[in-house]
Amino acid sequence: MSDPKDKKGEAPNSADAAGRKITPKVAEALLENNPALKNELAGMDKEKAAEALSKMDVAELLTGLAVGGKNQKDMASYKFWQTQPVPRFNEAAKDDSGPIKIIDPEKVSKTPDALVEGFEWTTLDLTNDDELQELWDLLTYHYVEDDNAMFRFRYSKSFLHWALMSPGWKKEWHVGVRATKSKKLVASICGVPTELRVRDQKIKVTEINFLCIHKKLRSKRLTPVLIKEITRRCYLSGIYQAIYTAGVVLPTPVSSCRYYHRPLDWLKLYEIGFSHLPYGSTKARQITKNHLPSTTSTTGLRLMESKDIDAVHDLLERYSRRFSLNQAFTREEIEHWLVHKDEEGKEQVVWSYVAEDPETHKINDFVSFYNLESTVIQHPKHDNVRAAYLYYYATETAFTEDTKALKAKLLQLINDALIMAKKAKFDVFNALTLHDNPLFLEQLKFGAGDGQLHFYLYNYRTAPIPGGVNEKNLPDEGKMGGVGIVML
């Protein structure tokens, strides 16, 4: 199965690489899977490249490299990252966590670096419909797509408002580059403020997203300049750490998760080339296999309302603290991220459900997913894929310390989320191996995706955090408890 967020291609089996000397042949395969690293080691003979890769203690951490290509987020070269406060590949893991570099606000430049001739900086005003439309156009036609140029993300304007105007958002963190003559928006990088807990250390960070460069300008080396500019703006606001994700391997992931997909409309996914027909099966069998009940089974399940904010906040905070890397939500953030407000002209972005005990009226469970469509490029029958992404969930059952009971509860709760997503006309339901997801992915007929999602912390060092997969890149209940944050 393929998804634009996936980076397609076979992931090397890190079980073969972990703790062993990398051969020139394996090195060659690794480099083919990572264009930025290949560029960095260009010119080295095969033996030396293999030796350099052997020193990079990433095999156990990464559980497979993801391939770049047309869909690769242009995340700058390794030479650039060597100048940044990020952990090096060959660093020994340390138990302590903390900033890599202490920033002196007095030494932060008050002006941005110059851009190449013909381009100028701009700050986007997303409350202005015209500027929101410009960002939408840039992302719709130039953001992440799959290697075969079959799918490309199509963020709705409502999604962009939701993702980029969360509580405490700062206009100056919505950075753009314009062509000086035409004033056309040709690049973007955006951030929103949030708080993370990294192994119980609470830190204020910027969540970085929507790094996008017009396809015709990918050779202009704009990526490092964009990253440096948003970093400068964050430093001026007193925020010295960031979190971001990529499907490619950069120095150095704090964790890596794998994508899984659950077909809701298998036939449509087959027709557009997202799902394949397994050998020996038939279309009718696949449709039957992926059939879902028409009614949910969790007692008291209903749509989340504003009156549930405090209860969900309390439940999610307690549930999230079970993970090494999690988001410390405020009440305002719960309202923003989880409660759908029915506004005229705005598409629904998030679906959240709570399970209320009919007698005590206590909220015992909650589950949510969000909508991120993809354009199907040049298909005679279908022009879009409606994908639901599993967002946050929590259950009181998690505090019983009974894994069997938690598994049973999540099988029921997430299956109900699949039913609700099917009713909302979604075609596929996507999830990563984070949270407690390894407890239910395979049993609920999620299929393994081709891609990894690597999590990165900027200017912060901590020991590697498990991403829910084992050395064979498969969901593993023994590798849970690491990633408790969902990145859009």
Side-chain angles (χ1 to χ4, degrees):
M1 293 184 180
S2 174
D3 179 288
K5 268 195 173 172
D6 285 358
K7 310 298 168 209
K8 288 191 69 180
E10 287 295 315
N13 184 342
S14 65
D16 297 331
R20 296 186 190 178
K21 185 174 168 63
I22 291 176
T23 64
K25 194 173 179 183
V26 171
E28 204 173 342
L30 288 170
L31 292 177
E32 283 306 316
N33 282 348
N34 204 318
L37 186 55
K38 186 178 182 181
N39 183 51
E40 191 63 24
L41 300 180
M44 267 192 201
D45 66 41
K46 289 181 182 179
E47 291 288 344
K48 281 192 176 170
E51 193 181 333
L53 286 170
S54 294
K55 287 176 182 171
M56 296 178 184
D57 186 21
V58 289
E60 290 180 348
L61 167 63
L62 298 181
T63 64
L65 290 171
V67 184
K70 286 198 184 87
N71 60 337
Q72 181 184 327
K73 286 186 185 180
D74 181 8
M75 291 294 285
S77 77
Y78 280 68
K79 283 174 185 165
F80 166 72
W81 288 110
Q82 284 171 353
T83 69
Q84 301 300 297
V86 294
R88 303 286 177 258
F89 273 142
N90 55 0
E91 256 181 39
K94 295 175 183 173
D95 291 334
D96 58 326
S97 302
I100 294 170
K101 182 181 178 184
I102 302 302
I103 307 302
D104 181 351
E106 297 300 315
K107 292 182 181 173
V108 178
S109 172
K110 303 297 185 286
T111 56
D113 285 356
L115 284 161
V116 290
E117 195 178 342
F119 300 97
E120 61 190 34
W121 292 110
T122 187
T123 298
L124 299 169
D125 178 3
L126 299 185
T127 64
N128 178 311
D129 283 344
D130 292 338
E131 296 199 25
L132 180 65
Q133 179 70 42
E134 286 184 285
L135 180 61
W136 184 89
D137 286 339
L138 178 69
L139 294 170
T140 299
Y141 300 109
H142 301 280
Y143 202 43
V144 183
E145 64 183 42
D146 76 303
D147 273 346
N148 300 323
M150 291 166 65
F151 311 108
R152 190 189 301 121
F153 283 156
R154 186 162 74 193
Y155 293 94
S156 66
K157 291 175 195 172
S158 301
F159 188 103
L160 294 176
H161 265 160
W162 179 68
L164 292 173
M165 296 173 74
S166 55
W169 70 276
K170 297 176 188 292
K171 180 182 169 183
E172 61 268 27
W173 290 3
H174 300 157
V175 183
V177 173
R178 293 188 184 281
T180 308
K181 282 185 182 173
S182 66
K183 301 301 178 192
K184 182 180 173 70
L185 184 70
V186 295
S188 66
I189 189 168
C190 300
V192 292
T194 193
E195 274 195 312
L196 297 182
R197 279 183 289 256
V198 185
R199 296 193 159 95
D200 295 326
Q201 294 287 317
K202 198 185 261 194
I203 56 171
K204 289 185 175 180
V205 302
T206 309
E207 191 174 310
I208 300 293
N209 210 341
F210 303 114
L211 168 51
C212 180
I213 295 166
H214 193 288
K215 286 178 181 177
K216 290 183 179 175
L217 301 175
R218 301 264 164 98
S219 62
K220 298 283 186 187
R221 300 287 297 133
L222 285 173
T223 299
V225 193
L226 282 163
I227 294 169
K228 282 167 78 175
E229 177 55 15
I230 194 142
T231 301
R232 186 188 70 84
R233 294 187 185 200
C234 292
Y235 283 177
L236 288 175
S237 301
I239 304 294
Y240 307 120
Q241 276 73 39
I243 185 169
Y244 52 101
T245 57
V248 291
V249 180
L250 305 166
T252 297
V254 67
S255 191
S256 299
C257 298
R258 188 177 185 181
Y259 273 105
Y260 272 72
H261 312 288
R262 191 353 172 136
L264 301 177
D265 183 343
W266 183 87
L267 187 60
K268 178 179 175 180
L269 296 178
Y270 171 71
E271 287 172 349
I272 61 175
F274 185 98
S275 293
H276 68 283
L277 182 63
Y279 180 75
S281 188
T282 63
K283 292 180 190 176
R285 269 190 221 151
Q286 289 304 111
I287 291 166
T288 304
K289 178 191 169 186
N290 289 290
H291 177 74
L292 285 161
S294 54
T295 55
T296 57
S297 56
T298 304
T299 305
L301 192 71
R302 61 169 174 78
L303 273 169
M304 180 180 173
E305 301 171 35
S306 294
K307 68 179 182 180
D308 305 313
I309 291 170
D310 288 325
V312 169
H313 184 213
D314 170 67
L315 178 57
L316 183 56
E317 273 288 281
R318 288 183 290 119
Y319 178 82
S320 294
R321 283 176 179 272
R322 298 163 57 247
F323 301 95
S324 302
L325 175 66
N326 66 81
Q327 190 165 347
F329 287 102
T330 62
R331 186 188 188 279
E332 293 70 32
E333 285 173 328
I334 294 292
E335 181 175 18
H336 174 84
W337 293 119
L338 295 173
V339 181
H340 167 62
K341 296 169 189 70
D342 213 352
E343 295 176 54
E344 196 178 336
K346 282 204 167 185
E347 292 180 41
Q348 186 167 352
V349 178
V350 66
W351 280 253
S352 300
Y353 300 88
V354 294
E356 180 181 352
D357 186 297
E359 292 178 9
T360 65
H361 299 293
K362 184 185 176 186
I363 302 298
N364 289 318
D365 315 296
F366 112 92
V367 64
S368 60
F369 52 86
Y370 63 86
N371 172 25
L372 176 47
E373 293 188 14
S374 285
T375 300
V376 181
I377 302 165
Q378 294 181 328
H379 191 277
K381 186 174 177 183
H382 304 288
D383 65 357
N384 80 322
V385 181
R386 276 176 59 82
Y389 283 78
L390 182 58
Y391 197 32
Y392 285 96
Y393 61 84
T395 172
E396 289 288 353
T397 311
F399 310 110
T400 62
E401 304 299 323
D402 181 346
T403 307
K404 227 173 166 181
L406 177 59
K407 184 169 191 165
K409 169 55 73 176
L410 291 181
L411 283 169
Q412 180 187 54
L413 189 63
I414 306 303
N415 198 60
D416 283 349
L418 294 173
I419 293 167
M420 301 311 287
K422 174 80 175 169
K423 283 185 175 175
K425 303 283 191 281
F426 282 96
D427 303 315
V428 63
F429 198 103
N430 298 330
L432 284 153
T433 53
L434 40 68
H435 286 144
D436 290 313
N437 297 4
L439 291 173
F440 59 77
L441 288 172
E442 290 171 324
Q443 209 162 326
L444 291 181
K445 299 171 188 169
F446 281 79
D450 300 324
Q452 306 287 127
L453 190 67
H454 306 293
F455 289 75
Y456 299 89
L457 293 172
Y458 184 89
N459 196 20
Y460 200 82
R461 180 185 283 111
T462 193
I465 287 169
V469 285
N470 58 25
E471 69 279 356
K472 292 180 180 173
N473 206 17
L474 295 171
D476 189 331
E477 294 173 23
K479 302 289 183 183
M480 297 189 312
V483 182
I485 181 170
V486 182
M487 299 280 288
L488 303 176

